[in-house]
Amino acid sequence: MDYSGNTPLQQKKMLAEIGLRSLDELFQSIPEGVKLKSSLNLPKQLSEIELVRELKDLADKNKSTSDYSLFLGGGYYDHFVPSALKYLIGRPEFYTAYTPYQAEASQGILQAIYEYQTFITLLTGMEVSNASLYDGATALAEAAFMAVRINKRNTILAAQTLHPEYLAVLKTYLAGLDLTLRVIPHNEGKVDLKELKNYLNKDVSAVILPQPNFFGIFEEGEKTASLARKNGSLCIASVDPISLGIISPPGKWGADIVVGEGQALGSGLNFGGPGLGFIACRMEFMRKIPGRLAGKTRDERGKTGYVLTLQTREQHIRREKATSNICSNHALSALAAAIYLSLLGKNGLRKTAELCLGKAHYLSEKIAEIPGYELKFQKPFFKEFVISSPHPVSKINRKLLENKIIGGLDLERFYPVFKNCMLLAVTEKRTKEEIDKLVKVLKSL
Amino acid sequence: MDYSGNTPLQQKKMLAEIGLRSLDELFQSIPEGVKLKSSLNLPKQLSEIELVRELKDLADKNKSTSDYSLFLGGGYYDHFVPSALKYLIGRPEFYTAYTPYQAEASQGILQAIYEYQTFITLLTGMEVSNASLYDGATALAEAAFMAVRINKRNTILAAQTLHPEYLAVLKTYLAGLDLTLRVIPHNEGKVDLKELKNYLNKDVSAVILPQPNFFGIFEEGEKTASLARKNGSLCIASVDPISLGIISPPGKWGADIVVGEGQALGSGLNFGGPGLGFIACRMEFMRKIPGRLAGKTRDERGKTGYVLTLQTREQHIRREKATSNICSNHALSALAAAIYLSLLGKNGLRKTAELCLGKAHYLSEKIAEIPGYELKFQKPFFKEFVISSPHPVSKINRKLLENKIIGGLDLERFYPVFKNCMLLAVTEKRTKEEIDKLVKVLKSL
Amino acid sequence: MSKLIFEKGACGRNGISLPEMDVPFQGVGGLIPKNLLRKELPLPELSEPEVVRHYTNLSKLNFSVDGNFYPLGSCTMKYNPKINEELAALPGFTQLHPYQGEESVQGALELMYNLEKNLSEIVGMERMTLQPAAGAHGELTGILMLRAFFKDKGESRKKIIIPDASHGTNPASAVLGGFEIVEVATDNSGGIDIEALKKVMNEEAACLMLTNPSTLGLFEENILEVSSIVHKAGGLLYGDGANLNALLGKARFGDMGFDLVHLNLHKTFAAPHGGGGPGGGPLGVKKQLIPYLPVPLVDRQGGRFFLNYDLPGSIGRMRSFYGNFLVMLKAYVYILSLGEEGLRKAAENAVLNANYLRAKLKDYYELPYKKICLHEVIFSGSRQKAKGVRTLDIAKRLIDFGMHPPTIYFPLNVPEALMIEPTETETKETLDYFIEIMKRIAGEAEENPQLLHQAPHNAPVGRLDEAKAAREIDVAWQASG
Amino acid sequence: MSKLIFEKGACGRNGISLPEMDVPFQGVGGLIPKNLLRKELPLPELSEPEVVRHYTNLSKLNFSVDGNFYPLGSCTMKYNPKINEELAALPGFTQLHPYQGEESVQGALELMYNLEKNLSEIVGMERMTLQPAAGAHGELTGILMLRAFFKDKGESRKKIIIPDASHGTNPASAVLGGFEIVEVATDNSGGIDIEALKKVMNEEAACLMLTNPSTLGLFEENILEVSSIVHKAGGLLYGDGANLNALLGKARFGDMGFDLVHLNLHKTFAAPHGGGGPGGGPLGVKKQLIPYLPVPLVDRQGGRFFLNYDLPGSIGRMRSFYGNFLVMLKAYVYILSLGEEGLRKAAENAVLNANYLRAKLKDYYELPYKKICLHEVIFSGSRQKAKGVRTLDIAKRLIDFGMHPPTIYFPLNVPEALMIEPTETETKETLDYFIEIMKRIAGEAEENPQLLHQAPHNAPVGRLDEAKAAREIDVAWQASG
Ligand SMILES: Cc1ncc(COP(=O)(O)O)c(C=O)c1O
Ligand SMILES: Cc1ncc(COP(=O)(O)O)c(C=O)c1O
């Protein structure tokens, strides 16, 4: 099935109009030396019936949350995706369109992006959001670049309690521009503010703080931001959008740029992608923000409409002077986020956050009651927490999997010192029954 | 989740506008004696997350063709439903609309119905198709009523090789109008034309012939139609639309009315419904056809458009004098059929029919090679055939199920004389591998 | 209008890729007698992108609940929840063959069993058949059952009484069941004319078919008296439950004296109408009618569900297999989503919305029955008619404002009827917009009738010529043109 | 324009039903320090039907491939097969957490492994990372890798050479990798200016970033010479493979001398663009660059697939997790659907369609490069400009006929550029309609320029004021107004 439109007869007619005799002649500009002569080593073409079977077989080799109870987090969470959302982002008017370069033919996606941008500002307490970035990690890297563009300093301080993969991405990105990355150590699961003070100096462009952090623990946002401000540095917050249903928004506690992974806002798990990178900032930094921005305007008759605006920041106009190289972004995931927040609304988001909070704490308490297990850090947390256990995490997870449970993250993978430590996440989707079953399996070990 | 729009505050305001003080007062016309006082015994309300789990649990209690190889037919077949079709009938513009009473706001579905009607005429070789009926069985009953309206005779002859459930429905329906149903016996799986002649008399309104019949076998359409015509009776054909990819259409061999189950045309299995009833006839009988008809017309500016036409045949205008009581039909299934036939087109339908034919014959030959098994009727068939086996069908099917195969229909259920006889169907979806596996299991018994 | 699918495509194009024949195949000719072979197959040839674009663009010409206010009276065009659609697409439901062994479809049977229980409870009936494919099909089922019932009793009752305001399917179904129709009038208050009923309800009458709330949007206030008149005369009381939406959790057919009632799952229970169907028209009955229910029923033995064909008195089968299973599933999910509380709230808001429209529009349009209505409100366009503007014109003008017109010219006993059923899923804001436009149209009827005669102005087509369609019949495209 | 979602809704409405808290819960205050608690959450409150209607109606304001011809140059707006979407929605793929143990995601890993193999084969590269989320992201990945490569070699090459016709992401990515840009001109025939290249391709230049076919829709005919110039000077040849669609099964980047190349799965491999993304921008490399690929790669040991983090020379991570998995899946399904034969046919038809447009329109619009093109054809609106009609006007006028405009004003070296990429999934009939309209517009430019200046006339909005948008910045709704 090649989906091509022209029949052999039409091809003939068209070639005649072009003045050629064969399809081969169309490719005459390709030098003989590089023309592909042999055939490619590709799998055999499949009909749709066969394709369905083939992919179903692959899918069946995976253990998905539709059959397993998932307690994994670490930056990606099993939050509920409303059915209405799936249907709406499935409208081909949205998903088979390109970036809305031609505004008059793209008002649907443009207004939706404008709404998305507004949602992000409302959620984060910031004034400007762009139209989306790839994911939370690259959004963070873009924020770091942005800070450097703003204050022309060359060092980024990042909390050690950041997602380890975000730290890794930061490192890769910053290396490109010869910027310095310094990691502020944590103390019992939380940034050590005394250490932070030591790291601050006139080269520091920005301080990056996760809220809550990789261990699920709340950081001292206000103090951190204030320390940064006093040093003439910016404060970049990396947040969990669901937590913002109950937690004070970074705009309130002094962050200058806010980024995060928006996968929780209606994108689902997808084995890690696509998710959604969001970035928002204060008004004064608007012209430094990377990526696309939808803005409101009017047509000749005075009717309201939306366009991509401030494109002079972008690569297709400014080329090497652009604020970023990003071109395609995650518009459809942004649309999903807008729809998600529309459906949940004020009450739904708050209740979702509360369910996560309540259930996570219930699980943490139940586990802490099991002899040999304990909560690694005794600090307030949101929906994720670290337990230390008497057994290797791999052993626990094997046992859990047998019981149709996908257990937590083995922290040793990222922090060799955290032996037998597991990061567990609980979302609104988990039931008491599932939680109790997990506890029961742990007890049985 | 009640999906209601009004908030309590709005309810108050609206009540005030109406001049009432409470919602209860809205129901004051219900006499106290019948007002519901107690609460209903209904299951507890579920959130969407819980609903998904609940229904998934129910679904998991079923064994579906996504995990099992199906060889069941008997009027409902596991034909391929193209993905594009599913997406198109999933457009809410189609499925959340009502019957197109207001043509100017319903041109999409009206044109689609007009196209569906055309497809059915092209497929059957008839001149008029209605906009759909419920299913193949009720379509047949409607056709019988139609014949009676046309020639005012009171007896319907139906082949014994018709689907037993169609015969049952005919019986129920005809009883309402005190019409007589007589069943023409078969001889070795095919209508006995000599018997038919015996049954024909001046009371016979129509002769009903399946093509192919319930055993998959081809009947003598031309001879049957000609006998009916000579007797002043009509010939009603009940056909498998897929077979019409390679089999001469009833319009060619003399049928006057053609009906059938259109489930194969893109509706899927659905545990038996919804499917699609189709009915088509010669032009001269158009005004006697039941149900809706979409017709072409123009607007005031001369632009082509479509409307429901000849509504004076219908119950909402003619009430008790209507050609049928049908109001809601199976419009969405008709749309599916139109899309199915658009996607398959000339070559696709022919190839589908050929695949069924070829694979069914391959299976029949392989089974006939197994000692003790034989083809019950030695006659040309399409995609379905009867085998007689040395074992009870229930035993065979139990064994097959263990091997992830859903076996054929136990014919004894409908024909007590056919002991150990199984009706097997093979569609284009079955692979040689699946067929060989079935044969292997039979051999192992 | 857009080109027909038959005017698109090109010879040799394919919209599908099928597997190769993987078994030995001698060709069609070797397996099928020559005289049976098809010579020409005059179907179009299109690519998948072509077909997708064609039907996608056709869909855009339709109004629908997802896009528009759709207050089509008697049709209960409420929102169709997406979760219902999602769950009805699970392979564990869609990919089941109706003849699979019961042990392999326990989930499907359990669902049907539960749905029957729930629906029976909601309407106060003893048992229910889920087989009927639509409301009219449910009616016919009921008619055939009561015919069998009276036959068993040795009574020959040949008539069925039907109010003049009833839906056309009622008399049509009764006739298909072999009965004669006796029409009774609606009285001034919108109820059935009791005196007229008494006159015709005799030993010749098998039943009164009553729609409650009626197609006037009114509860039959004398229902208990009506019921007793019918039953005293030895008849049965049949309920057309198409308007159940107004009564959810408020009153039950069984408690009002109805002996049998059909529902429309594609109205009250939020299954989508699909541009005309498929629907679901289950029929519930009181005890004495159970023996006549069509086969099979879903029953339970211990923990096991099974298809029960063992009903010797059954009228037989009303269709193949067990009914529109996926429609049942959507209704079931709907009941679980709402629960009793939600169902009651739905009824309350549906009735509130209708009365709000009544209160706000009654100064602009003639209101034939000046009282609180239930799920829908019926106006008459008689005032506008006097100015030369018909209800049809008003309806078409609404299209210009992106709203689907109400049902018009029904019920028949109201001249120039406008039957408006907003449903509970619409918001006050939407109603206020509708009210604003209806007022505006009332003004236009005074000042600029021409504008209304020529409406719609912004639709994909202008006013279509229905007379021409019926005169120069063209119901299928022909290759010649 | 339609109201914003924030202007809809009402206090107390809900668009979702969540489960009740089923564990003991002491309230938020008991678990979170007071100073961390949020006081106000200024989100709207809407019902599900309201949200569905809002976004359904918004969607209708969009042009899309499913509804419209969309010949946006350089974007390869081919049809996105529905089967790809269906399979990408299987729970066995969507409901996988990226940190699940490898044993529980073997199907997902196998798919990635196979896709990498297939893509590498198609472009003639040794290995590939599937991590980049889009083309630009792939570019940056490549740039950082070659930086690491030269660092390991102890060479300090600070410049990257980029043709003037290149896409803006090329220089932007190079700069993010710490390089300076050296621009080279396009020669009269549309190729890279060889003499200019020779001048700048020295020991300071790390690489030439070359788009092939170029953004002029032309194959770089001197590619072998170019490659040898670059390599002789010790540089690397980077390929922007955004236009691979023209070369599928016809020629391979590896065979032309490219050392690394990125692809756009959301162009060539039919993954939908989603109104802007998400996409997929895998990067393929020759052997010497493998050590620098980002981690993890998917590798195989016996029958088991695993995530390989053991690449000591790796540049590290380019994003979290493994890339846009569902986009990969769609590309994989696409490759399986088409097979080699189908891929080649796609390229042939894409090129045929572009040349057909070229042949039929060249008398009406200025054709800067008068030769056979590949997947797209570039015209200049210079003739029309002379009459006071800009390319922008022509583009907007196309909207009136239901067709999305081509890419305009790109590439930068063509004045008033119109970059038309029809793709292979469009039919001759659609092209003929486009040609007819383009001719008509050329006529209008002569006779009625005003009509074009004011276009579009039939769109949901008229010509929008972009200057105002940039001047009076409003990028988020505010409660006050
Ligand atoms: C009052 C009433 N009764 C019966 C029916 C018939 O229902 P169906 O269309 O499902 O056959 C309708 C449908 O419009 C109705 O409104
Ligand atoms: C030639 C070329 N290079 C690179 C890109 C950037 O790709 P992406 O938008 O996926 O980042 C594009 C996209 O338009 C392109 O056309």
Side-chain angles (χ1 to χ4, degrees), chain B residues 98 327-328, chain C residues 74 134-136 139 167 169 211 215 240 242 262 264 266-267:
Chain B
Y98 203 80
C327 179
S328 289
Chain C
S74 210
E139 293 171 19
H167 194 262
T169 50
T211 309
T215 60
D240 179 332
H262 84 260
N264 294 53
H266 47 300
K267 298 183 180 185

Side-chain angles (χ1 to χ4, degrees), chain B residues 200 220-233 235 253-254:
Chain B
L200 281 169
E220 311 261 5
E222 197 151 355
K223 287 188 188 143
T224 305
S226 141
L227 285 171
R229 196 175 326 109
K230 280 187 201 131
N231 189 54
S233 312
C235 177
W253 53 257

Side-chain angles (χ1 to χ4, degrees), chain A residues 98 327-328, chain D residues 74 134-136 139 167 169 211 215 240 242 262 264 266-267:
Chain A
Y98 204 79
C327 179
S328 290
Chain D
S74 209
E139 292 172 18
H167 195 262
T169 50
T211 309
T215 61
D240 180 333
H262 84 261
N264 294 52
H266 47 300
K267 298 183 179 185

Side-chain angles (χ1 to χ4, degrees), chain D residues 26-277:
Chain D
Q26 43 183 303
V28 170
L31 297 171
I32 302 181
K34 201 150 209 155
N35 67 319
L36 284 179
L37 287 179
R38 180 157 202 150
K39 297 200 178 67
E40 273 176 296
L41 185 59
L43 296 181
E45 299 173 66
L46 304 125
S47 69
E48 178 176 320
E50 248 184 317
V51 175
V52 166
R53 195 174 285 169
H54 179 78
Y55 286 105
T56 299
N57 283 331
L58 272 195
S59 79
K60 294 182 185 174
L61 306 176
N62 255 18
F63 280 35
S64 67
V65 172
D66 272 11
N68 311 80
F69 182 43
Y70 211 120
L72 196 66
S74 209
C75 300
T76 317
M77 293 298 280
K78 59 172 72 175
Y79 172 69
N80 308 130
K82 298 301 170 198
I83 184 67
N84 302 11
E85 301 303 311
E86 179 177 341
L87 296 174
L90 288 176
F93 296 124
T94 60
Q95 304 193 10
L96 299 181
H97 191 286
Y99 285 150
Q100 284 180 224
E102 282 158 357
E103 72 286 3
S104 73
V105 292
Q106 283 295 302
L109 296 177
E110 180 175 346
L111 188 151
M112 291 170 68
Y113 181 88
N114 289 345
L115 177 63
E116 186 198 330
K117 281 259 163 313
N118 296 339
L119 291 174
S120 301
E121 173 73 9
I122 289 169
V123 293
M125 289 286 156
E126 208 51 54
R127 284 219 68 166
M128 215 160 220
T129 171
L130 302 172
Q131 208 171 114
H137 203 210
E139 292 172 18
L140 181 56
T141 307
I143 299 291
L144 292 173
M145 284 173 65
L146 59 88
R147 188 183 148 113
F149 170 80
F150 285 114
K151 194 172 166 208
D152 272 7
K153 287 183 66 166
E155 297 180 24
S156 124
R157 294 174 178 253
K158 292 250 166 270
K159 294 183 179 163
I160 285 185
I161 303 169
I162 300 181
D164 58 357
S166 74
H167 195 262
T169 50
N170 291 185
S173 300
V175 161
L176 282 184
F179 290 94
E180 289 160 37
I181 309 303
V182 181
E183 196 170 283
V184 286
T186 300
D187 70 14
N188 290 338
S189 69
I192 189 169
D193 184 328
I194 294 280
E195 292 314 311
L197 174 64
K198 281 184 186 155
K199 279 198 201 107
V200 294
M201 188 61 233
N202 53 31
E203 73 294 339
E204 295 209 316
C207 115
L208 167 66
M209 270 186 108
L210 190 69
T211 309
N212 196 24
S214 72
T215 61
L216 296 165
L218 302 174
F219 194 88
E220 186 58 60
E221 300 188 25
N222 301 316
I223 184 62
L224 294 176
E225 189 181 352
V226 166
S227 159
S228 111
I229 294 168
V230 170
H231 290 126
K232 277 205 185 113
L236 292 175
L237 187 57
Y238 180 102
D240 180 333
N243 297 333
L244 172 64
N245 207 40
L247 302 183
L248 292 168
K250 292 287 172 183
R252 313 198 306 165
F253 284 85
D255 302 340
M256 298 171 209
F258 285 92
D259 301 291
L260 66 179
V261 60
H262 84 261
L263 312 178
N264 294 52
L265 299 183
H266 47 300
K267 298 183 179 185
T268 316
F269 295 94
H273 292 70

Side-chain angles (χ1 to χ4, degrees), chain A residues 102-108, chain D residues 61-64 70 399 403-405 459-461:
Chain A
Q102 293 291 337
E104 297 83 357
S106 316
Q107 285 299 294
Chain D
L61 306 176
N62 255 18
F63 280 35
S64 67
Y70 211 120
I399 296 174
M403 290 183 286
H404 194 282
V461 288

